Amino acid sequence: MRGTVLTYDSVSGDGLISGNNEQRYHFGSADVHSDTSLLIPGAGVDFEVKGEAATSVFVLPVLVNFPQREPSSQGAPITQGRNRVVASVLALLFGVLGIHKFYLGYKKAGFIMLLVSVVGVTFLGLPGVVIYAVAFFEAIIYICKTDEEFYDTYVAQERDWF
């Protein structure tokens, strides 16, 4: 059966689970087959029922689902650690090396920019100038977008270029 931890006292080892059938089941630390530090109120568990007790209690893994357009408490979308201002500054300062692409998680695009810049030195730097122009335009695009547009385009849809 599946349920949710209501309480767990790590000192006494006693806890209470609310099952999916809306019944409550007591359990002890000897019944837990997972890390007991994960037994916090609200944690999902799978367990067996014996009378009014829960046995063979296993804490379920937490699955994080990042919705595409759910705002955070400040009204900005969840960006999974990617910020448009930081990406813009990196593109302006280190764009010729593709650092902003690595920051956004686009390793392939970052390596392409880095490789073209390094190899471009042998061609009087012209490819590096083109790559910097691309990075400059990307920085401008990042800055002109709202946080939500940036999230939708570069985080949720994973758009590599422009």
Side-chain angles (χ1 to χ4, degrees):
M1 177 181 291
R2 298 273 169 116
T4 305
V5 174
L6 296 176
T7 62
Y8 178 72
D9 182 3
S10 59
V11 176
S12 67
D14 294 326
L16 185 64
I17 295 174
S18 176
N20 286 350
N21 62 357
E22 297 187 18
Q23 298 292 319
R24 293 183 177 192
Y25 302 95
H26 292 276
F27 69 95
S29 59
D31 298 312
V32 179
H33 299 289
S34 295
D35 183 2
T36 56
S37 67
L38 301 174
L39 290 171
I40 59 173
V45 291
D46 186 61
F47 62 98
E48 294 179 11
V49 177
K50 288 196 178 174
E52 293 183 14
T55 61
S56 300
V57 178
F58 291 91
V59 178
L60 297 174
V62 177
L63 300 177
V64 179
N65 182 19
F66 291 101
Q68 288 192 356
R69 302 193 94 183
E70 184 176 310
S72 68
S73 59
Q74 289 81 25
I78 300 169
T79 58
Q80 298 176 349
R82 300 176 193 155
N83 183 299
R84 70 181 176 89
V85 176
V86 173
S88 298
V89 170
L90 290 173
L92 286 173
L93 298 178
F94 306 108
V96 73
L97 300 174
I99 301 299
H100 63 294
K101 295 293 187 182
F102 290 108
Y103 171 75
L104 291 172
Y106 306 133
K107 293 178 185 173
K108 184 178 177 182
F111 281 120
I112 289 170
M113 292 182 85
L114 182 62
L115 184 65
V116 169
S117 296
V118 171
V119 172
V121 171
T122 61
F123 295 102
L124 302 174
L126 185 59
V129 171
V130 171
I131 291 295
Y132 184 75
V134 168
F136 178 79
F137 287 120
E138 286 183 330
I140 299 302
I141 290 169
Y142 297 161
I143 281 293
C144 291
K145 289 189 177 289
T146 65
D147 287 336
E148 187 174 81
E149 290 171 334
F150 179 82
Y151 172 79
D152 286 341
T153 305
Y154 300 104
V155 179
Q157 296 175 12
E158 297 182 353
R159 185 172 173 187
D160 288 3
W161 301 96
F162 296 104

